[in-house]
Structures are given as C-alpha cells and as structure tokens.
Amino acid sequence: MKANFFRRIALAILLGLCVQPSFGQKSNFGNWLIYFGNQAIDNKWNWYNEVQVRNYNFIGDLEQLVLRTGIGYNLTENNNNVLLGFAYVYSERYVPAIEKKISSDTYAIYEQFITRQNFGRVFILHRYRIEERFLPDDFRMRFRYFLSFNIPVTDKAMSRHTLYFSVYNEIFLNGQTPVFDQDRVYGAMGFVINQNLRAELGVMTQIFENRNKSQLQMVFFNNIPFKKK
C-alpha cells in the first residue's frame, strides 16, 4: 500500500514536469540522455567520466554529444573534491531558414571544486567550475556554479531502493560580454538501485537572455567506491 502511494506521487510529479510551461520564445522540447561515472582509484584519488547525448526532439535528432573526463583528489573524505578535466563537445546546429545542420567541435579544459553537506534527510552539493573553451574560431572562458538538493522520500538515507526528489540550479557566466550565458533549472524523481547505481527522470529548463528551452532528462549515476583488498 505504501509503495503504491509513493509510485502515484512520483507519476503525478513527472507528469507535471512534462507539461511544464515555457516562457519567452517558443522552443522545441528535447531530450538529454546522460551517464555520470565516478570510480575511486584509492581513498584519495578518483576518475570521473561523463557521456551526454542531447537531442532536439525526443530521440534521433542529435543536437550535441558531450564527453568529459577528469582526475579528482579528495581534500577530505567524501565531502570536498578538486578535479582537473578535459571535455569534448560535438554540436550539430540548424541553420535558420534552410533547415540544414552544420557541425562543429569544441574542446575544453576545466577545473572544479565540489563540496557536499547534509542536513537531516537533505543532501546538498555545491560545484564550482571554470572552463577554458577552445571553439572553432575563438577561445572563451566560462564560470559555472551548480547547487543541487536530493531529498529521500521512502527512507531517511540515500540507501538501496530509496525513492527521492532531485532539484538543481546552475548558472553560467562568461569571461567576456555578454556576461550572462544561461541558467539551468531542474526537477526530477530519482531511484537508488543499489550502493553504486541510481537513476533520475525529470525536466531541465535552460533560461537564456531571450528564450527558454526545456529537455526531458534521463540520468544514470555510477559511483564505485574504493575497496581495500
């Protein structure tokens, strides 16, 4: 009975997210398929890896392929991590009026700091990231601040088979004018499969200066802790 109740809550929230209104200029509703991996090398070092397939529509009309990797170091156990990474972004952009695509490649080096906190059953993550981006004909710097909250619903901890709410906001600022790049707002329901795997389904809205754009996001997290032999 209790499990059915929580399933109904999750379904209602996801339906609400999927019909979320869009403000500003009309835009397509796309889909992002995302994998985040974090493998501990030892109790201090970790290897981060990420794959994102971004589509203009639900699936099949590619907008971007994003690949990221990096090596991180724990300043304190489980709570504070610094990381140096590399990113590759392949983009297919529609040319206005003719409805044809042009492709481009962007490479980036990035540095980030992550700190984690929890207050009761609320798990909070702050991420500060600096990107040095090598575009086809330009070099740009970008600054990002990410704040997320995970709130367990069916358990007080993010343990196995726990259903949880996930929300985040991330602001992007350019190192040149215009300073404001975009803001991302996200809401989802998540499920902890086991101690290493969890999944989320939700909606993320990108807020630009003159338009908004929303995507359905399906996200998988794979976190492998270090185990002493």
Side-chain angles (χ1 to χ4, degrees):
M1 186 75 179
K2 184 178 179 180
N4 289 334
F5 173 73
F6 284 118
R7 289 193 190 101
R8 289 172 185 171
I9 291 177
L11 180 59
I13 291 170
L14 287 175
L15 289 173
L17 288 170
C18 290
V19 297
Q20 175 179 333
S22 176
F23 301 95
Q25 183 177 331
K26 183 180 178 181
S27 61
N28 295 327
F29 192 90
N31 178 38
W32 289 12
L33 304 172
I34 304 173
Y35 167 84
F36 293 116
N38 191 56
Q39 285 76 44
I41 299 170
D42 57 26
N43 61 354
K44 285 291 187 181
W45 295 92
N46 66 287
W47 172 48
Y48 174 77
N49 45 94
E50 173 184 335
V51 179
Q52 297 193 30
V53 180
R54 302 173 176 178
N55 295 282
Y56 286 104
N57 56 7
F58 182 72
I59 196 167
D61 189 5
L62 181 67
E63 180 181 7
Q64 286 184 326
L65 170 65
V66 180
L67 305 175
R68 285 193 184 93
T69 190
I71 296 294
Y73 180 81
N74 292 323
L75 300 175
T76 59
E77 187 176 357
N78 299 324
N79 290 330
N80 298 285
N81 180 271
V82 291
L83 183 140
L84 175 64
F86 174 79
Y88 167 72
V89 180
Y90 170 77
S91 301
E92 292 187 354
R93 180 173 59 87
Y94 278 105
V95 178
I98 63 174
E99 290 298 311
K100 289 186 177 180
K101 287 183 176 181
I102 59 172
S103 61
S104 63
D105 301 300
T106 299
Y107 302 89
I109 298 169
Y110 68 96
E111 305 83 34
Q112 71 179 33
F113 170 67
I114 287 178
T115 182
R116 296 176 176 87
Q117 305 163 319
N118 69 284
F119 296 96
R121 63 194 303 157
V122 180
F123 293 81
I124 304 171
L125 184 145
H126 304 263
R127 185 182 70 202
Y128 306 85
R129 179 181 288 175
I130 302 173
E131 298 175 323
E132 294 83 34
R133 305 165 67 215
F134 299 87
L135 284 71
D137 299 311
D138 199 4
F139 170 78
R140 299 179 185 177
M141 290 191 67
R142 190 164 66 181
F143 305 90
R144 301 168 57 167
Y145 171 63
F146 174 94
L147 173 63
S148 73
F149 299 86
N150 287 341
I151 306 169
V153 176
T154 56
D155 196 351
K156 291 183 179 180
M158 296 283 286
S159 57
R160 185 173 179 263
H161 294 171
T162 297
L163 187 69
Y164 66 94
F165 294 113
S166 178
V167 295
Y168 76 67
N169 181 257
E170 183 173 20
I171 188 167
F172 294 64
L173 300 176
N174 293 313
Q176 59 284 321
T177 55
V179 174
F180 177 75
D181 184 278
Q182 63 177 284
D183 190 32
R184 294 180 181 176
V185 181
Y186 171 80
M189 289 299 300
F191 183 73
V192 180
I193 300 167
N194 56 43
Q195 65 174 354
N196 297 336
L197 297 172
R198 58 188 175 94
E200 292 179 5
L201 179 63
V203 171
M204 187 271 288
T205 297
Q206 293 174 275
I207 303 169
F208 300 96
E209 186 174 357
N210 298 313
R211 65 186 178 92
N212 292 355
K213 183 179 179 182
S214 295
Q215 287 82 217
L216 178 71
Q217 283 196 177
M218 289 176 276
V219 190
F220 295 91
F221 301 86
N222 181 22
N223 183 42
I224 302 177
F226 174 67
K227 293 183 179 180
K228 294 182 180 180
K229 295 182 180 180

